[in-house]
Amino acid sequence: MTDFSDALGIASSGMRSQSQRLRHVSENIANADTPGYRRKTVSFTEAVEGGRTTGAVRTGRVHLDRTDLPMLFDPSHPMSDDTGHYAGSNVNLLVEIADAREAQRSYEANVKLFDQVRQMSASLMDLLRR
């Protein structure tokens, strides 16, 4: 039964990690028009317990995209400088939508794995009861 519980733990760690990724993508999309906002990305690492890898995944630290912020021209903007420019956001909505789609599919794959392991476990229990 530990193999089943290990598989369920790995699938749930994948779902948890992808949901955190989706949270950051959502924040990026929500702040796409916020002046000075830098895109957030999250990395994944393999979980290690007791010196050995478990197969589970964890999210790493959140990183800010350090690419230059685009300078936008709007003299009426309250944050504009003497030349009428202000620093915009470096969020590209096309990249964020693609990233969200990828995270969604990874999440769905983990849900399918979780469900199949659960069904296999239930089938094994039915066989053992007979």
Side-chain angles (χ1 to χ4, degrees), residues 1 3 34 41 57 62 67 78 84 90 92 96 103 108 111 125 128:
M1 289 305 282
D3 289 338
T34 302
T41 58
V57 66
V62 175
T67 58
N90 63 358
N92 182 339
E96 298 304 323
E108 289 171 355
V111 168
M125 289 299 170
L128 292 175

Side-chain angles (χ1 to χ4, degrees), residues 43-64:
S43 60
F44 299 114
T45 59
E46 190 172 8
V48 178
E49 290 181 10
R52 77 179 186 94
T53 59
T54 62
V57 66
R58 291 185 180 155
T59 53
R61 298 178 61 177
V62 175
H63 300 280
L64 295 178

Side-chain angles (χ1 to χ4, degrees), residues 64-78:
L64 295 178
D65 188 349
R66 293 288 174 196
T67 58
D68 292 334
L69 298 175
M71 295 304 291
L72 305 175
F73 180 73
D74 185 3
S76 65
H77 195 276

Side-chain angles (χ1 to χ4, degrees), residues 14 17 19 54 100 102 109 126:
S17 297
S19 68
T54 62
E102 182 181 314
D126 286 344

Side-chain angles (χ1 to χ4, degrees), residues 61-122:
R61 298 178 61 177
V62 175
H63 300 280
L64 295 178
D65 188 349
R66 293 288 174 196
T67 58
D68 292 334
L69 298 175
M71 295 304 291
L72 305 175
F73 180 73
D74 185 3
S76 65
H77 195 276
M79 295 182 72
S80 63
D81 59 11
D82 294 339
T83 63
H85 291 85
Y86 69 95
S89 164
N90 63 358
V91 174
N92 182 339
L93 288 178
L94 198 58
V95 171
E96 298 304 323
I97 289 171
D99 204 22
R101 188 71 175 166
E102 182 181 314
Q104 177 190 5
R105 291 186 184 212
S106 296
Y107 187 91
E108 289 171 355
N110 283 300
V111 168
K112 283 184 182 178
L113 175 66
F114 190 92
D115 191 45
Q116 286 186 352
V117 170
R118 188 184 56 77
Q119 287 176 2
M120 288 171 43
S121 177

